Amino acid sequence: MGRSRRTIPEELLLLALDPATGTTAQPQSLDLGLAGAQLVELALAGRIAPDGDRIAVVMPRPTGDPTLDSALELLRRRGSPVRAVHWIGGPRLGLRQIYLAHLERCGMVHAVAGQMCGVLPTTRYQATDTAISREIRARLDSAIRTGVPPDPRTAALAALAHAVGLGKHLYPGNEGRSSRSRLRDLIRHDPMGGLVAHAVMDVQNGVAAQPRRERAAAAPQPAARATAGGVPLQPRRTGAMARAAAH
């Protein structure tokens, strides 16, 4: 896999970078999104494929990208297909920092040291070439504005941007509401991107323990009202309720 183009994790991170503050929007969910973006990139490279709501390795040959190959090797070691929610919800400590450091090495961002409250050291990241971020954003804007089905990479990027909550960062306020809605709708244009995006949202909602169909079957149903001769029975009044009803 050549380095002639940026990977989806890199593009997702560049989208999340705030040019004014040098910080990343939605940092907690972004970590999940980067793990999901790795899956999409590996799928586009022909290394993995969806198997229902699971991910199966179909070609273990390395891609040439060290970070992606590390994820691919972990998937290979599982031996059997792994549920997307379990993979994305697993420990991913430092993944955002790994990609920020990678973007810095590639010259796409530069680190700016600072302090929080004059004491705690902090690091902000500024894009060195804003044309790259503008090009990524333009692809999303075009897909939203024209309604033409985007290419798989753009569709997957849009799905992940929606899943991690970047819609309000990219299209803020009431004027951006329709764009945020169309960004969400782009999720249907790439099956792998859609699977991963739904898994990211499931992990955030804390519902990763069961497959989606099992959760639907296990959902509580409205309790049937007891009847006598077809007439609904009223709940029995006791104590203060009975005394109040007698007056």
Side-chain angles (χ1 to χ4, degrees):
M1 178 178 173
R3 299 296 298 145
S4 60
R5 62 182 177 187
R6 297 173 300 274
T7 65
I8 293 176
E10 293 166 6
E11 292 195 330
L12 183 66
L13 186 50
L14 287 171
L15 274 180
L17 272 179
D18 189 315
T21 65
T23 59
T24 53
Q26 304 294 333
Q28 302 300 323
S29 56
L30 183 60
D31 290 341
L32 301 175
L34 289 173
Q38 287 184 315
L39 294 180
V40 175
E41 191 66 49
L42 287 170
L44 289 172
R47 294 335 192 248
I48 64 175
D51 181 7
D53 65 349
R54 297 175 182 269
I55 304 298
V57 174
V58 295
M59 185 190 298
R61 180 166 56 86
T63 67
D65 181 302
T67 310
L68 290 176
D69 288 341
S70 176
L72 179 62
E73 177 61 14
L74 288 174
L75 286 167
R76 186 193 66 79
R77 290 178 184 175
R78 294 291 185 94
S80 59
V82 58
R83 288 186 60 211
V85 287
H86 288 165
W87 172 261
I88 291 169
R92 294 291 177 272
L93 295 177
L95 190 57
R96 179 165 28 111
Q97 193 59 42
I98 288 172
Y99 273 106
L100 282 170
H102 170 74
L103 291 177
E104 186 179 18
R105 288 193 300 271
C106 293
M108 285 188 274
V109 303
H110 71 277
V112 180
Q115 288 184 330
M116 180 183 296
C117 301
V119 179
L120 299 176
T122 62
T123 303
R124 297 180 294 112
Y125 292 86
Q126 301 285 352
T128 56
D129 187 353
T130 55
I132 295 175
S133 297
R134 288 198 301 269
E135 183 272 328
I136 299 170
R137 174 69 178 270
R139 282 164 40 213
L140 290 186
D141 290 345
S142 176
I144 287 172
R145 183 179 63 254
T146 64
V148 176
D151 63 273
R153 301 185 69 83
T154 302
L157 180 62
L160 286 162
H162 166 70
V164 303
L166 289 184
K168 290 184 178 180
H169 168 70
L170 298 171
Y171 307 102
N174 288 332
E175 64 275 14
R177 184 178 299 172
S178 61
S179 293
R180 293 196 298 270
S181 177
R182 287 193 288 271
L183 179 71
R184 179 194 64 222
D185 292 343
L186 291 175
I187 202 170
R188 70 181 187 274
H189 289 295
D190 179 62
M192 186 65 179
L195 167 65
V196 169
H198 281 298
V200 169
M201 291 185 284
D202 281 350
V203 173
Q204 292 181 83
N205 292 330
V207 290
Q210 295 178 299
R212 189 178 299 270
R213 60 181 179 273
E214 291 181 10
R215 293 198 302 271
Q221 301 297 319
R225 298 184 63 184
T227 62
V231 179
L233 292 176
Q234 297 300 319
R236 182 181 178 185
R237 295 186 175 95
T238 60
M241 291 177 62
R243 291 193 295 273
H247 293 288

